């Protein structure tokens, strides 16, 4: 219940424009570990592979933790408890994080809709349809981008990327 209330508050802040990020240097590995811990027992199936050479990202650590916790929780829920792999690297001046699950996949025509608040795929009775909307909102509030790649029947990959400032490289 408390998770639902937190999610509703987050969606409300995002939709009203009151989710101004607090910009500070962020240790991605620390944020990812906190996000994994925040999802409780389910976090044991989330495997982190964070490149130690990635410089600090300038963003809001609380918002990023909430975004990644929602992505991890989504991967665990739809992956039936199978392993969720998280990988990061810097490429082309961007920090790219891939969250890979082993769920049923997402049909191409739904890959944008899944980020809408309260949207749940037909036949899905899990969750409230808030997690991916929150993830997208917080990622974008911090200057990032997010999209889903998927092969139906084989799983999905949520790709999150942030620009690295010239001084970070």
């Amino acid at each position: 219940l408390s998770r639902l209330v937190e999610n509703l508050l987050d969606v409300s802040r995002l939709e009203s424009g009151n989710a101004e990020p607090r910009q500070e240097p962020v240790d991605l590995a620390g944020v990812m570990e906190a996000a994994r811990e925040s999802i409780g027992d389910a976090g044991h199936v989330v495997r982190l592979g964070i490149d130690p050479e990635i410089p600090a990202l300038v963003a809001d650590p609380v918002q990023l933790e909430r975004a990644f916790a929602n992505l991890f929780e989504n991967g665990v829920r739809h992956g039936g408890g199978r392993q969720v792999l998280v990988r990061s690297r810097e490429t082309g001046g961007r920090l790219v994080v891939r969250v890979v699950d082993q769920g049923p996949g997402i049909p191409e025509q739904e890959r944008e809709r899944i980020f809408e608040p309260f949207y749940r795929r037909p036949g899905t009775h899990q969750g409230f349809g808030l997690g991916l909307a929150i993830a997208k909102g917080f990622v974008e509030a911090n200057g990032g981008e997010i999209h889903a790649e998927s092969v139906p029947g084989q799983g999905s990959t949520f790709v999150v990327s942030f620009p690295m400032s010239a001084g970070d490289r």
Side-chain angles (χ1 to χ4, degrees):
L1 184 59
S2 67
R3 186 80 167 171
L4 173 60
V5 171
E6 286 177 11
N7 283 343
L8 287 169
L9 289 171
D10 286 343
V11 166
S12 176
R13 280 187 213 103
L14 287 163
E15 288 186 344
S16 68
N18 292 323
E20 192 65 34
R22 195 180 74 234
Q23 301 290 308
E24 63 184 69
V26 174
D27 169 39
L28 184 64
V31 165
M32 295 291 183
E33 186 58 43
R36 178 170 62 178
E37 289 174 11
S38 77
I39 65 171
D41 292 340
H44 77 279
V45 299
V46 177
R47 299 286 179 253
L48 301 176
I50 308 303
D51 182 347
E53 299 299 315
I54 290 178
L57 180 66
V58 177
D60 186 314
V62 174
Q63 289 183 355
L64 291 189
E65 179 186 329
R66 298 279 296 135
F68 284 108
N70 279 299
L71 289 173
F72 297 169
E73 192 169 48
N74 182 75
V76 171
R77 178 182 298 126
H78 294 288
R82 291 183 294 270
Q83 196 170 75
V84 175
L85 302 174
V86 182
R87 300 288 178 258
S88 71
R89 65 185 178 122
E90 184 180 356
T91 181
R94 295 189 71 81
L95 168 61
V96 179
V97 179
R98 300 174 75 79
V99 179
V100 183
D101 69 42
Q102 298 178 49
I106 305 162
E108 187 171 351
Q109 66 272 18
E110 292 184 41
R111 291 190 196 145
E112 289 300 318
R113 292 214 55 210
I114 59 172
F115 294 107
E116 295 173 6
F118 302 105
Y119 179 76
R120 293 189 311 178
R121 291 191 50 223
T124 301
H125 303 292
Q126 301 171 337
F128 294 96
L130 298 173
L132 294 178
I134 292 167
K136 180 179 176 73
F138 283 152
V139 165
E140 290 179 350
N142 283 277
E145 299 173 356
I146 183 171
H147 71 273
E149 298 172 349
S150 187
V151 176
Q154 296 182 22
S156 300
T157 300
F158 289 87
V159 181
V160 179
S161 68
F162 297 96
M164 300 297 295
S165 68
D168 292 340
R169 284 184 249 129

